[in-house]
Amino acid sequence: MATTIEPELAKEIGERGDGPSNTVDSSSLPDELEGGEDAELERKIERVYRKLDWRIVPALWVMYFLCAAIRSNVGLALTMNTSTGDSLSQKLKLQPEQISTGLALFYVCYVLFDVPANLIMTRLSPHLWMGRVAIGVGIVGVCHIALDAAWNFYLLRLILGIVIAGMWPGMAYYLTLFYPPDRTGKRIGQYFTAAQVSAAVAGLVSAGFQLINRKGGLLGYQWMFLIYGIVAIVDGFAILWWLPDRPARPGAPVQEVTGYKKLLPKQIPALQGEDAELHYRDLTRVYHAPAWGMKDLWNVLSDWRLWPLTLMYFGVVGVGIGVQSFGTLIIRAANPKLTGVQLSLLFAPIWICDLIAILIFTPLADRFHKQRYLFFIFPAFIQIVGLLVTTFAGSPDNPWPRYVGLLIVGFGLGPTVPNCMAWTSEIFQPRHGDVGVAAATALVSGLGNLGSVTTTYALYTGWDSDNRPGPHKFRKSNFVMMGILAISILSAVANVFLLKFFPGTKRVEQQAGAVDGAKKRELRGQRGLDGLLWFGKKKQVST
């Protein structure tokens, strides 16, 4: 089988006697380029990715935890210390439609700035861009303590949307600099658990913040934003030192540090020596990614594959943000007797269920990456079941079955977003390369977040006829969320069939580094259950 490889790599192969041209017989490639038939080499490659895991995933996890908390804690702030008149909504005298407007404004800016932010990240040092996001979000978080009117509530939500734009898709793009796309789902899931832990901990910690209400001249929600904001700023500066920059080819000349980079802390390389060489051989395409131009960007923007993925994301993220923003209000609608502290404590288990599902399903989705769509469709069905239970179960005398429905929704939410982002990378990296991953993940995330605008602005508190006391409160909003989940499921099914019958040209696989080790392993087949616990004989492949 003839396979095209990057010219410099071909030159190296030629110098070693393996062939002089850019097109070589892939069966004649040395083991280092095959991905390692040798078991010892495979163990070494696995060790390299584990090293990267420890360097990258915890840093992204902490950053996402803090930024997700600052982004979403406004939902908790609306109900904190209501018994003493000290909630955010009471202090600012916010009406339900003003709350919905403020929450939606964040996502409007998020949608508008997601793609530009991610494209800028491809041109700059990724760790610098990530540090900028964390510092900016922390500063905006601290500013929440100064809110005193609806207009500055709107303004802060706008600024937060601009500052945080590109963070989530940027993380997905960043992972493809260090891992093959079909191995990113598990890593996305690992740091995505930060959002679940953040939501759960925020519910628990907000109960503590409510206990120090009016201490030191600050209200409970002001203390919450102040502490989270300061920690996020500190984390942003730590990221500049700890999070690795894009990988450089082993032995390449060290670039002179100039301009603003002189002000940045000196980094410890993520990989050195043999580890760096192994990573280069295994993921050569990343080291030789060609520069992109406007024509390349247009090819991504005009690719029809964006739209099914965007509709998939639209439904599941809309439901996720709806539950995150209005979860405490949904619980209170089922049981009006609950206090603010009790609501915070009941909010946390929803996200613990979410986290458990992520840890179960995202590693399996990577192992069965050719059937990744199933790990999206099945959890989406689970969410619909949960919403049905929340809508119809229980009674005024026994509201707890409705709460169980929210737990089911939380469990279904977990795997959907990480798998949608991982599938986007898998589809666009071989067809469009670096710019494909950056632009596609940003577009899917940005446009898909119109679902968040829908649920935060048009549903629940934003829907007057659905926001009235009684056993049917929020019922129509729940029906709409089921409807957009159905759209997500149908879009995933459509994408599967369209990709089968209209696969398109995988341009990048015909260019640089096409036969790197990771690609060779992918061509040999997916891992399945081999090597997982007691299932089957372990294959010699890296994780």
Side-chain angles (χ1 to χ4, degrees), residues 12-182:
E12 275 189 36
I13 296 170
E15 288 173 352
R16 294 188 324 202
D18 294 310
S21 68
N22 288 8
T23 303
V24 299
D25 185 343
S26 62
S27 62
S28 70
L29 290 170
D31 283 346
E32 292 88 348
L33 297 179
E34 286 271 353
E37 300 295 334
D38 165 77
E40 178 62 24
L41 179 58
E42 292 292 348
R43 283 193 291 270
K44 289 180 179 180
I45 293 172
E46 185 175 351
R47 183 195 65 203
V48 167
Y49 285 120
R50 283 201 303 268
K51 280 187 178 182
L52 288 171
D53 285 344
W54 283 109
R55 182 71 181 271
I56 292 171
V57 176
L60 296 181
W61 193 97
V62 173
M63 175 187 172
Y64 196 51
F65 173 88
L66 294 167
C67 292
I70 293 170
R71 179 192 66 193
S72 60
N73 276 358
V74 66
L76 290 169
L78 294 171
T79 59
M80 289 174 63
N81 299 114
T82 52
S83 60
T84 58
D86 293 327
S87 69
L88 177 63
S89 57
Q90 290 169 321
K91 183 176 186 293
L92 303 187
K93 297 180 173 59
L94 296 173
Q95 299 302 312
E97 61 273 12
Q98 291 176 306
I99 294 171
S100 296
T101 300
L103 294 176
L105 283 173
F106 166 84
Y107 293 104
V108 171
C109 288
Y110 190 90
V111 169
L112 292 175
F113 290 93
D114 227 11
V115 174
N118 228 32
L119 292 177
I120 290 172
M121 185 176 173
T122 67
R123 301 294 198 189
L124 299 179
S125 299
H127 74 296
L128 174 63
W129 196 246
M130 289 297 183
R132 189 277 308 168
V133 170
I135 293 168
V137 171
I139 292 171
V140 175
V142 171
C143 289
H144 277 72
I145 67 175
L147 290 175
D148 60 5
W151 73 266
N152 49 45
F153 172 61
Y154 295 157
L155 179 62
L156 268 191
R157 296 299 295 177
L158 281 168
I159 295 173
L160 183 60
I162 296 170
V163 168
I164 206 172
M167 178 190 69
W168 171 246
M171 289 176 168
Y173 162 71
Y174 180 80
L175 284 185
T176 62
L177 300 178
F178 295 93
Y179 304 95
D182 64 335

Side-chain angles (χ1 to χ4, degrees), residues 367-428:
R367 287 178 168 272
F368 293 92
H369 65 91
K370 293 181 180 178
Q371 290 81 38
R372 191 180 294 278
Y373 57 90
L374 293 177
F375 296 91
F376 178 92
I377 292 172
F378 178 63
F381 270 120
I382 292 176
Q383 293 175 60
I384 292 176
V385 171
L387 286 168
L388 286 170
V389 173
T390 298
T391 304
F392 294 107
S395 66
D397 295 328
N398 180 23
W400 294 109
R402 295 181 66 180
Y403 175 69
V404 172
L406 280 178
L407 297 180
I408 296 172
V409 173
F411 187 81
L413 278 170
T416 52
V417 171
N419 276 318
C420 189
M421 296 301 282
W423 201 14
T424 303
S425 295
E426 283 181 320
I427 290 171
F428 279 83

